Amino acid sequence: MSERATGAGPGLDFRARGERVSPRRRGAWGWVDVRGRRLGQWAFILNRLTGLGLLVYLFLHLGVLSMLAVGPGAWDGFVSTALTPAFLALDVVLIFGLLFHGLNGLRITLVGLGLVVNRQQALFVALMVFGAIALLIAGLRIFAVG
Amino acid sequence: MSSPVEPANDTHATSGTGRSVRFRVSRFKQGDRKPHYQEYAVEVAPETTVLDALTAIRRDQDPTLILRHSCYHASCGTCGMRVNDTEVLACVTEVTELGGGPVKVDPIANQRLVADLVTDMVDFYDKFTAVDQPLVRGSDAIPAATVPPGVPGFTRFENCIECGLCLSACPIVATDPRYLGPAGLAAAQRVLEEPREADAFSVLRLTDDPQAAWRCHLAFECTAVCPSNVDPAGAIMFLRRRLASDRVKSIFGSGWRP
């Protein structure tokens, strides 16, 4: 422990004296606690949530495709379910996840390599506006087809 | 635990014409299992800062309240804490800015808690010493400045006031004690920007590590809470650009990589 850190001599070093200190690292709660946080933390959280959601979707998608091996009856039954409004709403959620994760990933890639660093928040907003428009169009088309 | 206390008749934090504001202050003493909140009522004037209110509590209501402060004007960084879940310097945060509700006061997060609002900053400073001191810059004072007796010389970390707010706000620091952290990486970037006599090669080598520049996940919360406009997240990104550029150059036989 440096004296510079505390401005005190070793006599005031409570760790050297064996006193207990409470580790207050916030742990995973620090990833999801948005109280008092700004846009960057929301992007951080949503990127992880959408990433996990897309991973789950990938396996669900493979499971659904396996119905093809069961036979036409199973597949046709799934397709009729997939055209219900509740299922179509899930499609919109899926597209939201794809758009957010992809577009925010583009921001992370650019900024993470030191590009557009000073404009990263404007870049995020611009990408999200683009994503919202794309999501709106996709949602309208999904329900029009459904 | 809650123990409401009558408003104090304070002469600095309160003017006698202010309003009463409730403070929920995190309390912790050596031997406690975990922190708890204690409530106080303080009469505040429009210009009363959170630090004014806390020192008034300590002076007039509860002398066992432990907090750390020094300069009262955002220069020393010692009064960094979490007020209503946001990292701030208490000395420049006016209570009236915080709305009408109770004001929640916690110590900065992700550091070891010593008592009440005081954390052990040793982990923070260890991030600087971990790089064998190249991040501690020489004095910016004029050469003719008088060095007080017993002080070997002036040192400073550029604009960083060493408050630790960036470490408190960073989600990665919350889970990874090995992460060099925003303050240390921002200091590294300053060395690269202006090496003076520092060994830029060793700084680059240090920061090109999964637990250093590449560990940041771009939440930019460190930059958002920094009271000194250091922009640690921006510094980390520029550091990455330098590292990525050097990595590409090394493919063609230049750059710092062997």
Side-chain angles (χ1 to χ4, degrees):
Chain A
M1 177 178 182
S2 67
E3 292 189 9
R4 186 184 175 286
T6 60
L12 294 180
D13 183 350
F14 56 89
R15 292 203 301 192
R17 296 202 308 262
E19 292 181 7
R20 191 172 76 93
V21 288
S22 169
R24 287 188 68 252
R25 207 166 288 281
R26 304 185 75 203
W29 181 244
W31 287 38
V32 296
D33 183 9
V34 294
R35 292 175 301 168
R37 299 271 76 94
R38 280 78 163 183
L39 193 60
Q41 181 82 6
W42 282 98
F44 174 87
I45 295 166
L46 274 175
N47 208 55
R48 274 136 195 86
L49 288 177
T50 53
L52 289 170
L54 292 172
L55 181 67
V56 170
Y57 167 76
L58 175 67
F59 285 98
L60 284 176
H61 185 62
L62 292 173
V64 166
L65 286 182
S66 69
M67 290 180 184
L68 286 169
V70 177
W75 180 252
D76 290 345
F78 167 73
V79 168
S80 63
T81 304
L83 291 175
T84 60
F87 205 99
L88 293 176
L90 288 177
D91 281 347
V92 176
V93 172
L94 170 65
I95 290 173
F96 165 78
L98 286 167
L99 282 169
F100 183 87
H101 201 79
L103 292 171
N104 191 46
L106 183 62
R107 176 187 72 99
I108 289 171
T109 303
L110 291 173
V111 178
L113 288 174
L115 305 171
V116 288
V117 174
N118 294 329
R119 305 282 295 167
Q120 64 90 21
Q121 194 161 337
L123 175 65
F124 178 76
V125 172
L127 288 169
M128 290 305 110
V129 168
F130 173 78
I133 294 169
L135 182 65
L136 180 67
I137 294 170
L140 290 173
R141 289 183 64 88
I142 284 170
F143 279 100
V145 172
Chain B
M1 187 175 81
S2 172
S3 68
V5 181
E6 289 300 310
N9 182 23
D10 175 58
T11 55
H12 181 200
T14 67
S15 64
T17 58
R19 62 189 174 89
S20 179
V21 173
R22 280 196 304 132
F23 282 77
R24 296 186 70 226
V25 182
S26 179
R27 304 301 306 273
F28 175 85
K29 300 296 183 198
Q30 293 291 319
D32 288 355
R33 214 168 59 81
K34 60 180 183 179
H36 63 275
Y37 288 102
Q38 189 161 352
E39 292 198 3
Y40 305 90
V42 180
E43 214 172 283
V44 299
E47 69 277 11
T48 302
T49 65
V50 172
L51 182 56
D52 289 333
L54 292 171
T55 51
I57 290 170
R58 176 176 161 81
R59 184 179 59 241
D60 301 325
Q61 303 184 41
D62 188 350
T64 69
L65 177 64
I66 306 298
L67 66 152
R68 182 163 48 202
H69 66 86
S70 183
C71 75
Y72 280 98
H73 57 257
S75 286
C76 70
T78 52
C79 69
M81 55 187 73
R82 302 182 81 220
V83 174
N84 289 348
D85 300 307
T86 300
E87 285 76 8
V88 296
L89 294 180
C91 67
V92 290
T93 303
E94 292 184 353
V95 177
T96 49
E97 296 172 3
L98 304 170
V103 176
K104 188 156 77 83
V105 185
D106 293 277
I108 58 171
N110 303 324
Q111 304 297 305
R112 294 173 189 275
L113 185 55
V114 178
D116 295 338
L117 301 175
V118 175
T119 56
D120 178 6
M121 299 296 284
V122 171
D123 288 344
F124 175 85
Y125 288 106
D126 281 350
K127 302 299 184 189
F128 292 104
T129 56
V131 295
D132 197 24
Q133 301 290 344
L135 307 184
V136 179
R137 309 301 296 267
S139 170
D140 282 351
I142 56 174
T146 305
V147 178
V151 176
F154 296 114
T155 57
R156 61 172 301 204
F157 292 128
E158 305 292 333
N159 287 335
C160 178
I161 58 173
E162 304 156 40
C163 58
L165 297 187
C166 55
L167 298 187
S168 177
C170 175
I172 304 306
V173 174
T175 51
D176 193 345
R178 296 167 301 171
Y179 176 37
L180 187 54
L185 288 167
Q189 168 62 11
R190 279 295 296 134
V191 171
L192 296 177
E193 285 174 340
E194 190 186 351
R196 301 183 192 172
E197 299 85 21
D199 179 7
F201 177 83
S202 70
V203 174
L204 270 176
R205 193 165 51 185
L206 173 90
T207 55
D208 189 15
D209 185 274
Q211 295 299 336
W214 304 107
R215 191 72 179 91
C216 173
H217 284 243
L218 289 85
F220 276 80
E221 287 294 325
C222 54
T223 291
V225 301
C226 178
S228 197
N229 296 321
V230 171
D231 187 14
I236 295 169
M237 296 309 113
F238 288 121
L239 191 54
R240 282 184 175 186
R241 180 163 70 184
R242 170 75 184 269
L243 291 169
S245 169
D246 277 10
R247 195 168 288 197
V248 171
K249 286 178 185 171
S250 71
I251 297 172
F252 301 100
S254 57
W256 64 267
R257 284 165 182 279

